[in-house]
C-alpha cells in the first residue's frame, strides 16, 4: 500500500510537512541503547566488586566520568563527600555528626577514664588535647549565616566535665582555634587535616601548658636541630574521596609550607608519651596528605612539640589495651573532638 501524498496548501502552493511520528522501530532503538548503557555500567560495577577501582580501569573511568559531571555541572558530591561553598569539601560523616546528630558510639571516653585511674596509681598524669573538626570552625562554608562561635554538640561540655572529674587534665582547643581562624586558616578547604600554622599554634599552647604544670619534664636548653623549609602541593584527601580522575585538574591543589626538623627523634625511654592518630602523623607520614616527595618530611606534631619542649618524646598511636607506662610521668593524647565526643 502506497503512503498517502502530503497535503497541499493552496495559499502557499507548497507541501505541508506531515506531523512527526515516533515509530515503533525508533522506540525500540532508544530502549536498546538505554539498556546497553545500563548493562555496560552494571558489568563494570560488578567487576569492581571483585577488583579495586584502581585496578579495574573500566569501572574507574565510568565512575570518575559520572562524578566529574556531577561535580562540575551540578556541584554535587557523593555518598562520602559533600561540596560546600567557595570550594570547600566536607566529609559526610562530619555533617552527620554535627548537623543530623547521627554518629556511632565508641569507647574512647570510657577508655580514657580507665587509663587515668591506671596512671594515677603509677603517679603519672593524663593530659587530653581535644581538637575540633573542620565543620565546627567553618560552618558558614556549608550553611551560610552569621556564627558567633564554633558549632558544638550538646554532649561536649558534659563529656569534658566527666573527664576532669576523673582527674584528667583537658585542653579543649575549640574556642582558641575559633579566635585563631581570624589570623590564620586552620583547616584546608579540600583536605581533612589541619594546616601547619594551626598545628604549630597548638604545639605552642601545649608547650606552654606543660612547662607551667610540669616544669621538670621540659628542658631549659635549646636543642641542636637542622630545619629545612619544604613546599608541598596536594589536591587533598577529600577531593580524592570524590573518586575523580585527576582531581587536581578539576579542583586545583592547595599549598603547605612545612618546616622539616632533624635532630629530635622519638625515644621510647622518654618520660612523656604522646598518643595520636592522623593529626599527629599528617606531616611525617608519606602516605598522608602533603607527605610525598623524595623522602618523608619530619614536620609533624610530635617533632614540633619535642623541639619546643627541648626533648624527645615516646611517640605512639592511639592508646591500646596492652600499652605499658612504666617510668612515665606524663601521657598526652591528641584527639579529634569527634573521637572524644562522637
Amino acid at each position: 500500500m502506497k503512503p498517502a501524498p502530503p497535503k497541499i496548501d493552496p495559499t502557499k502552493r507548497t507541501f505541508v510537512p506531515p506531523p512527526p511520528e515516533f515509530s515503533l522501530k525508533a522506540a525500540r532503538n532508544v530502549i536498546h541503547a538505554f539498556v546497553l548503557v545500563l548493562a555496560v555500567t552494571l558489568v563494570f560495577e560488578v567487576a569492581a566488586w571483585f577488583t579495586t577501582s584502581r585496578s579495574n580501569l573500566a569501572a574507574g573511568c565510568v565512575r570518575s566520568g559520572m562524578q566529574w559531571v556531577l561535580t562540575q555541572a551540578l556541584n554535587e558530591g557523593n555518598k562520602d563527600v559533600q561540596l560546600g561553598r567557595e570550594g570547600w569539601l566536607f566529609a559526610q560523616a562530619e555533617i552527620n555528626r554535627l548537623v543530623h546528630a547521627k554518629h556511632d558510639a565508641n569507647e574512647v571516653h570510657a577508655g580514657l577514664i580507665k587509663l587515668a585511674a591506671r596512671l594515677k596509681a603509677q603517679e603519672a598524669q593524663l593530659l587530653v588535647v581535644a581538637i575540633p573538626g573542620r565543620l565546627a570552625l567553618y560552618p558558614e562554608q556549608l550553611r551560610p549565616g552569621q556564627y558567633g562561635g564554633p558549632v558544638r554538640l550538646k554532649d561536649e561540655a558534659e563529656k569534658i566535665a566527666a573527664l576532669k572529674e576523673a582527674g584528667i587534665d583537658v585542653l579543649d582547643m575549640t574556642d582558641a582555634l575559633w579566635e585563631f581562624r581570624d589570623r590564620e586558616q586552620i583547616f584546608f578547604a579540600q583536605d581533612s587535616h589541619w594546616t601547619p600554622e594551626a598545628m604549630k599554634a597548638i604545639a605552642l599552647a601545649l608547650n606552654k601548658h606543660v612547662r607551667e604544670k610540669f616544669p621538670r619534664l621540659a628542658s631549659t636548653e635549646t636543642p641542636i636541630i637542622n630545619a629545612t623549609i619544604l613546599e608541598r602541593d596536594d589536591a587533598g584527601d577529600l577531593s580524592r574521596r570524590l573518586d575523580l580522575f585527576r582531581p587536581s585538574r578539576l579542583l586545583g591543589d592547595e599549598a603547605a609550607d612545612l618546616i622539616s626538623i632533624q635532630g629530635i627523634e622519638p625515644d621510647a625511654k622518654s618520660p612523656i608519651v604522646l598518643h595520636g592518630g592522623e593529626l599527629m602523623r599528617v606531616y611525617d607520614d608519606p602516605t598522608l596528605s602533603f607527605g610525598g616527595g623524595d623522602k618523608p618530611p619530619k614536620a609533624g606534631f610530635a617533632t614540633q612539640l619535642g623541639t619546643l619542649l627541648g626533648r624527645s618524646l615516646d611517640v605512639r598511636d592511639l592508646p591500646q589495651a596492652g600499652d605499658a607506662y612504666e617510668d612515665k610521668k606524663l601521657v598526652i593524647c591528641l584527639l579529634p573532638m569527634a573521637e572524644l565526643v562522637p
Side-chain angles (χ1 to χ4, degrees):
M1 181 177 180
K2 296 183 178 180
K7 297 179 181 180
I8 299 177
D9 187 346
T11 61
K12 295 184 179 180
R13 305 273 181 188
T14 185
F15 291 105
V16 178
E21 295 182 359
F22 193 63
S23 66
L24 180 61
K25 182 178 180 180
R28 287 175 178 173
N29 291 338
V30 172
I31 294 175
H32 290 163
F34 183 70
V35 171
L36 179 62
V37 171
L38 288 180
V40 171
T41 305
L42 181 61
V43 169
F44 290 161
E45 288 298 328
V46 170
W49 293 346
F50 301 97
T51 59
T52 63
S53 61
R54 291 184 180 276
S55 61
N56 191 313
L57 181 60
C61 288
V62 171
R63 188 179 298 110
S64 296
M66 291 300 297
Q67 187 59 59
W68 191 94
V69 173
L70 289 172
T71 301
Q72 180 73 1
L74 302 177
N75 197 40
E76 290 289 340
N78 58 18
K79 65 178 181 179
D80 294 327
V81 178
Q82 183 170 326
L83 274 66
R85 301 172 62 245
E86 300 178 353
W88 279 71
L89 306 177
F90 291 96
Q92 188 61 50
E94 187 176 10
I95 297 174
N96 290 341
R97 174 180 175 267
L98 281 184
V99 178
H100 305 302
K102 297 179 180 179
H103 55 83
D104 296 326
N106 61 35
E107 299 298 325
V108 172
H109 189 270
L112 290 173
I113 293 178
K114 292 180 181 178
L115 177 58
R118 178 182 168 193
L119 292 174
K120 185 177 180 180
Q122 300 177 201
E123 298 183 351
Q125 177 69 45
L126 176 60
L127 170 58
V128 173
V129 184
I131 306 299
R134 299 165 71 254
L135 186 54
L137 297 178
Y138 292 95
E140 72 280 359
Q141 298 298 354
L142 184 67
R143 289 187 175 181
Q146 298 293 330
Y147 296 86
V151 178
R152 291 179 176 268
L153 290 178
K154 295 180 180 179
D155 297 343
E156 287 186 13
E158 179 182 347
K159 293 275 189 178
I160 292 175
L163 292 179
K164 293 180 178 180
E165 290 177 2
I168 301 174
D169 193 5
V170 181
L171 279 182
D172 178 6
M173 304 306 303
T174 305
D175 292 334
L177 287 177
W178 178 264
E179 296 179 1
F180 185 74
R181 79 172 210 155
D182 293 335
R183 303 189 300 274
E184 297 283 354
Q185 186 168 327
I186 300 170
F187 286 101
F188 294 100
Q190 300 171 187
D191 193 273
S192 62
H193 303 102
W194 54 9
T195 62
E197 293 77 16
M199 179 188 68
K200 184 177 180 180
I202 299 302
L204 287 167
L206 183 54
N207 169 65
K208 179 181 178 181
H209 185 82
V210 172
R211 287 183 177 275
E212 290 177 352
K213 299 196 69 173
F214 311 95
R216 295 183 180 181
L217 296 180
S219 175
T220 57
E221 299 180 1
T222 303
I224 299 176
I225 60 172
N226 182 18
T228 305
I229 297 178
L230 304 177
E231 296 180 354
R232 296 293 169 88
D233 296 323
D234 196 274
D237 60 342
L238 293 175
S239 70
R240 285 188 286 274
R241 287 171 60 183
L242 282 174
D243 206 8
L244 293 167
F245 178 69
R246 299 182 68 178
S248 300
R249 296 191 63 180
L250 180 61
L251 302 177
D253 287 338
E254 294 183 283
D257 293 332
L258 309 181
I259 301 178
S260 179
I261 299 175
Q262 305 293 332
I264 301 292
E265 301 297 330
D267 184 1
K269 297 181 179 180
S270 174
I272 302 178
V273 176
L274 176 62
H275 285 291
E278 286 196 7
L279 279 177
M280 181 184 71
R281 297 184 290 106
V282 60
Y283 299 119
D284 289 334
D285 191 337
T287 65
L288 296 177
S289 308
F290 306 99
D294 298 333
K295 59 181 180 179
K298 294 286 294 181
F301 185 80
T303 303
Q304 296 286 339
L305 181 60
T307 302
L308 292 170
L309 290 174
R311 67 176 313 147
S312 298
L313 306 174
D314 184 358
V315 182
R316 308 181 185 182
D317 291 331
L318 295 175
Q320 303 294 326
D323 287 340
Y325 299 97
E326 288 80 6
D327 300 324
K328 305 301 180 183
K329 299 301 180 183
L330 177 62
V331 176
I332 303 172
C333 288
L334 180 69
L335 289 174
M337 187 66 78
E339 291 290 328
L340 184 61
V341 186

